[in-house]
Amino acid sequence: MDEKVLLKGNIAIAKAALNCGCSCYFGYPITPQTDIGEYLSLEMQKKNLAYVCAESEIGAINMALGAASSGEKVMTSSSSCAVALMQEALSYASSDELPIVLVNVMRAGPGQGYIYPSQGDYNQATIGGGNGDYKTIVLSPSSVQECIDLTYKSFYLAQKYKNPTILLVDGLLGQMAEPAIITKNPYPDIDNSSWILDGAKNRPSRNIHSLEPDQNKLNQHILKLYQKYQQIEKNEPVWEEYLCEDADIILTAFGTMARSIKAVCNHFRKTRIKMGVFRPVTLYPFPYKRLRELSVKARYFIDIEMNMGQMLKDIRLGVLSNAQISFIGKPVGDWLRKEEIISAVNNIIKEQYASI
Amino acid sequence: MQVYSIPKSIKKDSKFTFCKGCDHGVAIKIIAEIIDELNLKENTIAISSSGCSVLLYNFLDVDCLEAPHGRACAVATGVKRAHRAKGQDKFVFTYQGDGDFASIGLGESMHSALRGENITAICINNTNYGMTGGQMGPTSTMGQLTTTSPLGRNKEYHGFPIKTAEQIALCEGTQFSARVALYDVKNILKAKKIIKKAFECQLKGGGFSFVEILSSCPTNWKLSPQDSHKKIEEELTKIYPLEIFKDTTND
Amino acid sequence: MSYIKLDQNKCKSCYLCIDVCPHKLLKKSSHIGSTGELTVEFSDTENKCIGCAQCAIVCPEIAIVEVNR
């Protein structure tokens, strides 16, 4: 079990889902995530689990919504423009407090875009495209190992908070193979016997619904959801720091992008520029608090993303006016290379941070 | 001897909130009676939808999940399959309007039928969007006046309506598809028999079962409850015949 | 002796039951119900009710709560 194996991100996610007891998967093909569904189709049929090739992503996420009401661990996966189709049900599932794990292996947009690498769904995942006051938990892996670890965590957090959870994966990572250890699921199962729908036997009937014609009750319901979100924001932010303690300049990135910028950071450290790397692992809840602490000491933040600056506004909300913030980005295509980033960072340092 | 009482599967002290004379109340009542007769109360998960039919969970005393508009059959698929993955067979049915089942949700509905999903769908067809105030729906008939077809539905301008039960009967995975009405005692009793048969189809495990119920919408039709029933009997049943279109339960 | 029990609080005055009663034992009462119209009452001074339950079958409001035969 502890042996390293060569694994693609998508397959790692599928294996981890099975490992932690996911018994229901509903999906529709879209590149670059299709191999998750392909892998699970055989494995789940062999075990007599629930697998449906849905008629659409709308069908898939609504099957997931129904299945989640049974208390089983439920997953669907898709990509960018098709995750857009799922936003309605995410809003419903958030209001219904149903635990669904949604894996979004991102492609480039807007619209159909193409299957090129991009991180263009940060806003879609963290802000959401559904209606009303709701939040979804968003986890962002940066390696195949983390695809496994964070799949486990996605199921755990979804069940723990009875909330849809999105695993936001770079297309690059979904399609990339690297060595990883298929660990055991470290999280306990959550008792859900108090709310699931399994037939009103020896108990009053239950109903799960989002319609609420009584405005006071609707207010109370949303306030209750927000108390839960506050707990999530208090308990669950996770981030990775690299050489941040004494850093003057902190590079920020999420997902796979954070890997190349560690090399950038090492490069500048050799030139005696005190640089660090800060990577949010949970995009919601975003680790604002730690970012603010770091911004008291660090003077400059450079946010680097494969989009036009979607996480940038969260960096700004964390840093406020404590430090200067710059952005390096590219919406789509070949990942920004170490050399490109070094040269862009050098330009920023020359132009804006002359005092360093 | 008491020969009639409120079905046990109706929530205590329920007071229906549908409009005066609306057939939803009769439909829910006979569904509750069938749930009682088949002893399904403790094993049922009902899926309600959007529109007037969403209110089902307020009245029916079984576990109930509300689906987003049109998605009831997809949600029911998930519910049915998830319990099956646990090794349990639950009785799962949807309760939808014609707009929900046959317009916004036609894809989910028809694919559930095509797959032969072992669920039952009940569709209340009142030939308009009732809850929003009587707009033209997928089943509005030719010439029908609605708030969005104020000059009457017209085939050149608005296009044709859908005959849902006939369409669903064409699907290979459909085991049972029928249309019933509730405009008089005889038809209510017949409707109950047919819905019961659809429920039993699922219990036997053969595939998709479907019943379309021609229902009155006195408020939006701007007719009395009596005249609404007359319209169903004299007009609608000519366009939407009351038949069992497919029944392969004995094959 | 057959009789029915009718819950006037549930009656919405659709009068569908009045139409189906074979002995015309259901009629408008003097009580104004939730729709602003007169609700239905059961009156059977000559013990004509046969407990056929047709009124209960057509009632969309489950306002006829009992039929006894």
Side-chain angles (χ1 to χ4, degrees), chain A residues 70 198 203 205-206 210, chain B residues 61 63-64 66 86 90 115:
Chain A
S70 74
D198 59 351
R203 60 163 173 80
S205 60
R206 295 171 179 157
S210 60
Chain B
D61 195 12
D63 277 5
C64 190
E66 168 210 272
K86 272 200 254 189
K90 297 290 168 189
R115 282 194 304 270

Side-chain angles (χ1 to χ4, degrees), chain B residues 164-213:
Chain B
T164 317
E166 287 90 328
Q167 293 289 342
I168 292 299
L170 294 174
C171 300
E172 210 168 334
T174 300
Q175 192 183 17
F176 187 85
S177 180
R179 184 182 294 113
V180 299
L182 306 170
Y183 60 79
D184 62 12
V185 172
K186 193 178 128 210
N187 273 283
I188 293 170
L189 295 175
K190 196 174 152 198
K192 187 177 159 186
K193 224 181 200 172
I194 286 176
I195 296 169
K196 193 170 182 178
K197 181 137 201 217
F199 278 20
E200 284 167 341
C201 278
Q202 183 186 156
L203 296 175
K204 285 181 205 156
F208 194 75
S209 47
F210 176 70
V211 181
E212 175 183 342
I213 305 178

Side-chain angles (χ1 to χ4, degrees), chain A residues 24 50 52 55 58 62-63 66-67 69-70 72 92 197-201 203 205-211, chain B residues 11 42 44-45 54 57 61-66 68 71 74-75 78-79 81-83 85-86 90 108 111 115:
Chain A
C24 303
V52 181
E55 62 274 15
I58 297 173
N62 282 287
M63 288 172 199
S69 75
S70 74
E72 290 295 278
Y92 274 77
L197 303 184
D198 59 351
K201 193 171 187 178
R203 60 163 173 80
S205 60
R206 295 171 179 157
N207 61 65
I208 296 177
H209 58 95
S210 60
L211 181 81
Chain B
K11 281 185 180 165
E42 296 183 340
T44 294
I45 293 135
V54 67
Y57 61 74
D61 195 12
V62 300
D63 277 5
C64 190
L65 174 61
E66 168 210 272
R71 319 300 169 214
V75 170
V79 171
R81 299 262 186 149
H83 287 286
K86 272 200 254 189
K90 297 290 168 189
E108 287 76 13
H111 276 283
R115 282 194 304 270

